[in-house]
Amino acid sequence: MNTLESEMQARKTKTKKKQGEQKEVVHLRRTIGILPATSFIIGTMVGSGIFIAPKGVLMYSGSVGLSLLVWMLPAVASYVSLAFGRYVVEPFFTPCVAPLVLIKLVSILGVSFVVAINCWSVNMASRTQIILTFIKTFALVLIIVPGAMALARGETDNFQNGFEVDTAKLDMLPLAFYNGLYAYGHWFHLNCVTEEVINPNRNIPLAISLSVVTVTVLYVMVNVAYYSVMTPSELLVSDAVAVTFANKALQSLSPVIPILVALSCVGAVNGGLFGASRMLFVGAREGHWPALFSMIHIRRHTPLPAVPLLYPLMVIMIITGEISKLIRFVSFPRWFFISLTTLGMLIHRYHYPLHPRPFKVPLVIAVTFTIVCFFIVGLSLYSDPWNTGLSCVLMLTGIPVYYMTIHRFRLPTRWRRVYNNCSKQLQIFFEVIQQEVQTY
């Protein structure tokens, strides 16, 4: 009997030891369930866009009715950060203009905070996203309610002749869509963290469906609320639409709105950085980027080198950029590559029809979406050649990076030695190693 008990005890000890060893193995863990996944998408989509973009949509669409149509038809971090800085600083200087230097400084502090969270813990970043998603949803509801009350009182003057398009121009519509799509941005970022989603075959399509429907309904209702209280001319002269709305419709709560919008921006930056760092992580793992960025911290289990990589670029764009220009500057490459991605998906689907697909989009939706994306991108080349040209130049900077990583064996021996030594020292500094379990 004692022998049997000893054997059972030994087996339990061995099992616990094995479980402990697996727990200590360095890899990305599946910790994102349906609520964090949905919060991740909603919290990333609902950033500064709905509080800023209505001005650009109205300006380039030319009418109230057409602008609402743009908001119903669509279903990066630096311009969201600038919006964060603007909404934090402007209330302290109203009615005067807030200093641009202070706005940018606060924006950089906000970005630094988000980078630190994502470096520290995946769970902390996930919980932060959930909390901020509930806060920003409350902010949208706070705008919708007085708008609905105004409509109930019969204040519908701004909707009369809503589709008069005397000022609308076809070549300006892509810029209207860019402003609207900016507010819907990041809906695809959950795909970048598939390895960390629990039961991704079920939770990813479910989270995307719930999020896009919820956000679309909220956005249309918020824009209706804006137009029920503000005239188109008032909206066009406002740099912070939500603040102008609050000053007219929520005077007693107007100091709260900028705080809620600022927190909404933090949530968008947090979600965007979370997803973008995973793209860099996977790119490095596939050999398209230095191997250092495919490594994981030995204790925190975060892709530590990939997270702060975006930080210097965001800071530079915050310092040199302005929100409306950054929206147009970033939108072209984003939607150009989305167009290429969906086109590639269609080609792959044609050539490999029997490949297993855990979930797939109806063909008519995929084809329509691809055509619309290419149309918007192509027409924007004509309507805004300057920012589009700068975006193309930025994309071309990837060529030397490609040759320095993919074809680094062609570099001189001395350069490769320096490259390898720097990578080694950075690996020691960050305390990171390659993941020890295949999670893909």
Side-chain angles (χ1 to χ4, degrees), residues 118-285:
N118 280 266
C119 289
W120 188 261
S121 168
V122 173
N123 284 333
M124 183 181 292
S126 180
R127 289 172 187 149
T128 300
Q129 195 69 7
I130 294 173
I131 294 170
L132 293 176
T133 297
F134 281 106
I135 291 174
K136 65 182 63 183
T137 303
F138 172 72
L140 295 180
V141 172
L142 204 60
I143 292 173
I144 291 170
V145 170
M149 293 172 63
L151 288 176
R153 293 193 299 268
E155 298 178 16
T156 59
D157 293 344
N158 294 330
F159 299 98
Q160 305 298 326
N161 302 318
F163 284 93
E164 286 185 352
V165 289
D166 295 338
T167 60
K169 296 180 180 179
L170 181 63
D171 61 341
M172 291 291 107
L173 279 181
L175 302 184
F177 271 98
Y178 274 170
N179 279 269
L181 290 170
Y182 150 62
Y184 283 99
H186 304 293
W187 51 268
F188 49 83
H189 270 205
L190 184 63
N191 301 334
C192 302
V193 296
T194 301
E195 294 175 39
E196 297 166 79
V197 176
I198 300 169
N199 191 8
N201 293 353
R202 171 186 176 273
N203 286 338
I204 287 181
L206 182 59
I208 290 176
S209 301
L210 290 172
S211 304
V212 172
V213 171
T214 301
V215 170
T216 302
V217 171
L218 287 173
Y219 275 8
V220 174
M221 293 175 69
V222 166
N223 275 274
V224 170
Y226 284 154
Y227 290 124
S228 66
V229 175
M230 302 167 61
T231 64
S233 57
E234 287 176 326
L235 194 145
L236 286 173
V237 298
S238 174
D239 288 326
V241 178
V243 171
T244 306
F245 175 89
N247 289 334
K248 293 196 67 175
L250 295 166
Q251 293 183 1
S252 60
L253 295 175
S254 57
V256 178
I257 293 295
I259 298 173
L260 296 177
V261 176
L263 291 174
S264 177
C265 294
V266 172
V269 175
N270 181 62
L273 185 66
F274 194 95
S277 61
R278 269 59 178 181
M279 281 195 290
L280 295 172
F281 171 81
V282 173
R285 192 173 63 192

Side-chain angles (χ1 to χ4, degrees), residues 10 63 67 125 194 212 293 344 358 380 397 418 423 432:
S63 72
S67 71
T194 301
V212 172
F293 300 106
S380 68
T397 60
V418 173
S423 297
V432 292

